Every structure is written in structure tokens, then in C-alpha cells.
Amino acid sequence: MPIDNPILVIGATGKIGSRVADRLAARGHPHRAVSRSTAPAFDWENPAGWARAMEGMHSAFVTYVPDLAAPGAPEIIEQFTATAEASGLRKVVLLSGRGEHGAELSEDKVRQSGLDHVIVRASWFNQNFDEGMLLPSILSGTLALAAGDKLEPFVDAEDIADVAVAALLDERHNGATYEVTGPRLMTFADIAREISAASGLDVTYVPLSVEAFHAALLPAIGKDGADLLADLCAEVFDGRNEWLGDGVQRALGREPRDFADYLAAAIANGAWRQAA
Ligand SMILES: NC(=O)c1ccc[n+]([C@@H]2O[C@H](COP(=O)([O-])OP(=O)(O)OC[C@H]3O[C@@H](n4cnc5c(N)ncnc54)[C@H](OP(=O)(O)O)[C@@H]3O)[C@@H](O)[C@H]2O)c1
């Protein structure tokens, strides 16, 4: 792809989008990093503003919020791809979630569009524990989730961003669906133990029923958010994701980072220091 093909990065202040934008900036590749708080803004809830953000762009890295499995997401993604085509975009790299039926319907909308596309279908992110929704749980010492003793191949945001940037910049990835995971299947009890050992915190995993998890979320994030997260846990922690993907290896020709590498980097960057 010629260097002057600019890339729209949607969700550019988030865990993955910020890393994608940083990598493009480091290469000097023209890009426009957008979220609800940028000018121009990009808000999934305001389709009237999408074309302005897309103006002059060749490709887009797409983070959909709250989740591609949320009710109505496939219809919104269909509207997004139509607007993208009408705005002259040629390619979409979509960040998706692994083992989510609703997300697969959203992926299909991208595949059925006239756009070149790459699907980056990720397992749970390592960075949920220090940058994301599970940070307060780690700081409180209690990691309570409806995940039982199921195994998950947690993946590093740095690897997801590396795959996304490769997919954006190199046309040979077009049409691929990359199942990006880490190299190790781990339970949440393993995670609590490894974070505790590396950080000096005392973190315990408490498995909850889906009903108890929903009840615990309700006061904090309301019914829609609690429904979404409880349904997602019920779906993806039924054993379907207890296998390693090969998306990092296929896209980049190297092995993914291990959870131990993540811990070392996170602690070097000051993760969880506020709990000490
Ligand atoms: N976390 C996981 O383990 C996991 C695993 C697989 C897939 N995923 C998928 O990854 C995506 C989340 O990526 P992430 O963790 O990098 O995001 P994130 O860290 O939660 O950040 C969300 C980004 O989206 C922006 N945003 C929030 N609401 C928006 C809206 N209504 N319209 C436009 N932008 C909005 C935010 O910026 P502003 O607030 O400034 O708008 C921010 O840039 C979701 O689609 C999720 O399903 C997550």
C-alpha cells in the first residue's frame, strides 16, 4: 500500500486503538485517530457524523463499543460499511471477540460488504487487568467473575495491535480472519495467582454463578451493561474457547507474548502501584 493511504483509527483512546495509532505514528503513516472526544468526533451513536470522520481516508481500524455481540450491533456495522463505501474507504480491519455468536454476525456484515477486510478475532485481553474493566477488582483483591474454572488463552494488546497494523498496511492479509490468542491456556485462578506473585498484591479469584455476577454488576453499570456482560460470560465460558488460536503466528510469523511477559511489562510501567 502506498504510504499516502491514510488510516482512520476508531476507538483511538482505547486499549487497542491507542496502540494501533502509536504504531502508525511511529512509522510516520498518515492516520486520523478518533473517538467521541476528538475533532472530528466519531460516535457509534451518531451515524450522521461518521462520513465527516471518514473523509479522505483509505482504510479504517474499527473498535466497536460496547461489543459486536451487543443487540443491534450487526445492523450498525452494516450501516457503517455502507457509509464507508460511500465515503470512498477501501478497507476495514475489524477488532472482534472470540466465540461470540453476535460478533460473528457483525463480522459477516463486513465480509458481505464491498470493502477489503481483515477480521482480528481476539480472546480476552491481558490488559483488562491493569487498564480495563478488571483493574478495580485487582486493586480490591477479589476477582469475581462467572467463568468457573474454564481455560482462556489471554492475549496481549501489543500483539493484537501488531496484527492489526500488519493487516492495515499489507494487502496480502486481505480476506483473513485471525484468531489471536496468547500461547497459554489459563484459568482466572491462575491469573490471580500470577498477578499476586509478580506484584506482591493478594488477589483471589471468586467464581460466581451467572445470576450472582449479574446481580453484582447491576448497581454499577445498569441493566443493559449487566445483561451484556453476564450473557457474554455465559456464552464464552462454556468451554468453547479452551484452545489456542494461531492468528499471531499466521499474521506475523512469530509466537505471541506470554502472560509472564505482560506482567513484567505492566509492573515496569507502574501497574497496580496505587494499591500498594
Ligand atoms: N476486553 C477484552 O478482553 C476483549 C476481547 C475481545 C474483543 N474485545 C472487543 O474490543 C473492543 C474494545 O476495545 P478496547 O478494549 O480497546 O476499547 P476500550 O479500551 O474500552 O476503549 C473504547 C474506545 O472506544 C471509544 N468509545 C467509547 N464509546 C464510544 C462510542 N459510543 N462511539 C465511538 N467511540 C466510543 C473510547 O473513547 P471515548 O470514550 O473518548 O469515545 C475508546 O477510545 C470491543 O469491541 C470488545 O468487544 C474486547
Side-chain angles (χ1 to χ4, degrees):
M1 181 197 297
I3 189 77
D4 60 350
N5 284 333
I7 296 171
L8 181 67
V9 181
I10 296 173
T13 55
K15 292 185 284 303
I16 309 301
S18 63
R19 288 173 166 86
V20 169
D22 286 350
R23 282 159 170 73
L24 295 174
R27 286 167 174 260
H29 193 100
H31 63 285
R32 179 180 295 151
V34 294
S35 74
R36 291 171 301 178
S37 54
T38 54
F42 183 96
D43 186 343
W44 286 108
E45 293 178 18
N46 179 27
W50 296 350
R52 169 72 191 89
M54 291 172 178
E55 229 170 79
M57 297 289 110
H58 174 276
S59 319
F61 172 72
V62 178
T63 304
Y64 179 74
V65 174
D67 194 287
L68 289 176
E75 292 74 20
I76 295 171
I77 294 298
E78 187 170 26
Q79 188 179 2
F80 173 83
T81 57
T83 308
E85 285 183 78
S87 301
L89 264 77
R90 305 285 302 281
K91 175 167 172 174
V92 161
V93 174
L94 178 70
L95 174 60
S96 184
R98 198 164 176 251
E100 302 174 16
H101 176 64
E104 287 172 15
L105 299 178
S106 297
E107 294 174 6
D108 284 342
K109 298 298 183 186
V110 172
R111 292 190 188 97
Q112 289 155 8
S113 74
L115 296 160
D116 288 332
H117 55 268
V118 180
I119 310 295
V120 181
R121 195 190 275 163
S123 53
W124 274 49
F125 306 164
N126 294 340
Q127 279 74 7
N128 290 336
F129 299 107
D130 70 314
E131 297 177 27
M133 61 180 174
L134 298 176
L135 172 60
S137 307
I138 300 300
L139 295 177
S140 76
T142 302
L143 181 56
L145 275 169
D149 59 358
K150 290 294 183 291
L151 294 162
E152 173 70 15
F154 296 87
V155 65
D156 203 281
E158 305 291 349
D159 283 335
I160 302 171
D162 283 344
V163 171
V165 169
L168 287 162
L169 297 181
D170 189 339
E171 304 301 320
R172 82 187 158 90
H173 297 287
N174 290 358
T177 295
Y178 290 126
E179 294 261 353
V180 293
T181 77
R184 192 155 50 117
L185 289 165
M186 301 174 75
T187 63
F188 279 89
D190 295 333
I191 295 283
R193 194 167 39 249
E194 293 200 17
I195 291 179
S196 300
S199 68
L201 299 175
D202 185 9
V203 184
T204 305
Y205 170 56
V206 179
L208 298 179
S209 68
V210 172
E211 294 72 26
F213 182 54
H214 186 276
L217 290 171
L218 210 48
I221 60 173
K223 185 175 180 315
D224 287 354
D227 287 355
L228 178 63
L229 280 179
D231 288 351
L232 263 180
C233 282
E235 185 178 29
V236 302
F237 293 125
D238 69 350
R240 74 184 61 196
N241 283 346
E242 293 186 307
W243 55 281
L244 301 179
D246 62 359
V248 174
Q249 294 90 331
R250 281 172 56 218
L252 304 175
R254 66 160 174 81
E255 293 303 308
R257 291 165 172 84
D258 187 73
F259 193 73
D261 303 323
Y262 154 72
L263 282 176
I267 288 168
N269 286 333
W272 309 303
R273 236 179 240 161
Q274 57 271 55

